[in-house]
Amino acid sequence: MEEKLRTFIALELGQKQVQTLATYTQQLQNKFPSGFRWVKPGHMHLTLKFFGEISPKQLETVSNVLAQVCLNIKPFNLRVEGCGAFPNWRSPRTIWAGLTPVQEVQSLHHQMDEALAQVGFQPEGRRFSPHLTLCRVSDYVDQQLVGELEKAMQTSPIPPMDPWEVKEVVFIKSRLQPGGPVYTPLAKFEFNLKTKV
């Protein structure tokens, strides 16, 4: 039987942005060590599409689609800006950092979703909201702690960061381990550098 792989497509951050977010989230983690599962700095990325488990044949199909879609995309800049909680701060499941501008990411996601739908991968029902997951909130968390975290992030927001240039998408394998997932890049697909303005 074919071994299926748990995979997703993502945009990676610039090195400086990862370092700034790592310092910021470490300070929060020191204040709020329990009730929140903080994302390791090396795992921070913008997820474009999560597949769950797919077969080697589907892996090849997705790779072909990504290579084709990326021919139509030109490099663009992104900046980390703002933060929030999904679905909201009253009952959060995920704490996130925002990205701006989102038009280019939305356009990339739309083109990718349409192309993947043509080869059998159904789009997600919910609206795509580009974000970076900073932590996931445990079911047992004290609601007072959530309020304190929200206040801490409002009074000491994410430091201003320079934008970074996004030039490729990454197809990543995720292996679940007791200590958290292990991410391995399977392939990278460059945008059409010739179309850069």
Side-chain angles (χ1 to χ4, degrees), residues 1-5 54-56 173 175:
M1 196 171 79
E2 293 183 309
E3 184 194 356
K4 291 197 169 186
L5 299 175
I54 62 174
S55 68
K173 176 176 78 170
R175 197 154 47 90

Side-chain angles (χ1 to χ4, degrees), residues 18 24 28 38 43-44 56 59 63 76 92 95 98 105 123-124 127 144 157 161 165 171 173 191 197:
V18 170
Y24 180 73
L28 290 173
W38 295 91
H43 285 183
M44 286 183 186
L59 200 78
S63 294
F76 56 86
I95 310 299
V105 183
E124 275 192 62
R127 188 174 146 270
Q144 186 179 333
M161 280 180 251
E165 189 178 37
F171 196 14
K173 176 176 78 170
F191 297 153
V197 176

Side-chain angles (χ1 to χ4, degrees), residues 6-181:
R6 181 183 167 89
T7 59
F8 62 92
I9 301 166
L11 299 180
E12 293 183 323
L13 279 72
Q15 201 53 46
K16 286 182 182 175
Q17 287 75 19
V18 170
Q19 288 167 357
T20 302
L21 283 171
T23 303
Y24 180 73
T25 55
Q26 186 59 57
Q27 291 167 351
L28 290 173
Q29 190 171 351
N30 293 341
K31 292 179 185 173
F32 302 95
S34 61
F36 305 95
R37 298 190 302 281
W38 295 91
V39 174
K40 294 175 184 175
H43 285 183
M44 286 183 186
H45 57 263
L46 164 56
T47 301
L48 291 171
K49 189 171 185 69
F50 179 75
F51 290 105
E53 295 190 337
I54 62 174
S55 68
K57 187 176 180 182
Q58 288 174 309
L59 200 78
E60 192 179 334
T61 302
V62 171
S63 294
N64 291 337
V65 168
L66 289 177
Q68 202 59 42
V69 168
C70 287
L71 288 176
N72 303 318
I73 305 294
K74 62 184 179 185
F76 56 86
N77 289 338
L78 276 181
R79 185 195 297 271
V80 178
E81 195 172 278
C83 63
F86 287 141
N88 54 56
W89 278 108
R90 288 188 306 282
S91 54
R93 305 296 303 161
T94 302
I95 310 299
W96 50 265
L99 294 162
T100 185
V102 297
Q103 296 96 308
E104 287 90 344
V105 183
Q106 293 278 15
S107 175
L108 167 61
H109 179 266
H110 178 70
Q111 290 183 53
M112 198 181 66
D113 240 17
E114 281 204 329
L116 286 167
Q118 290 174 13
V119 293
F121 293 95
Q122 291 309 306
E124 275 192 62
R126 59 186 174 186
R127 188 174 146 270
F128 175 62
S129 298
H131 67 278
L132 305 171
T133 298
L134 300 181
C135 77
R136 293 178 177 82
V137 183
S138 301
D139 293 334
Y140 62 82
V141 72
D142 183 338
Q143 200 55 42
Q144 186 179 333
L145 274 182
V146 172
E148 288 174 12
L149 175 60
E150 180 184 10
K151 188 176 178 183
M153 292 181 76
Q154 286 173 347
T155 53
S156 299
I158 295 170
M161 280 180 251
D162 290 333
W164 78 98
E165 189 178 37
V166 181
K167 296 187 283 192
E168 62 188 11
V169 299
V170 189
F171 196 14
I172 299 172
K173 176 176 78 170
S174 171
R175 197 154 47 90
L176 298 178
Q177 300 277 50

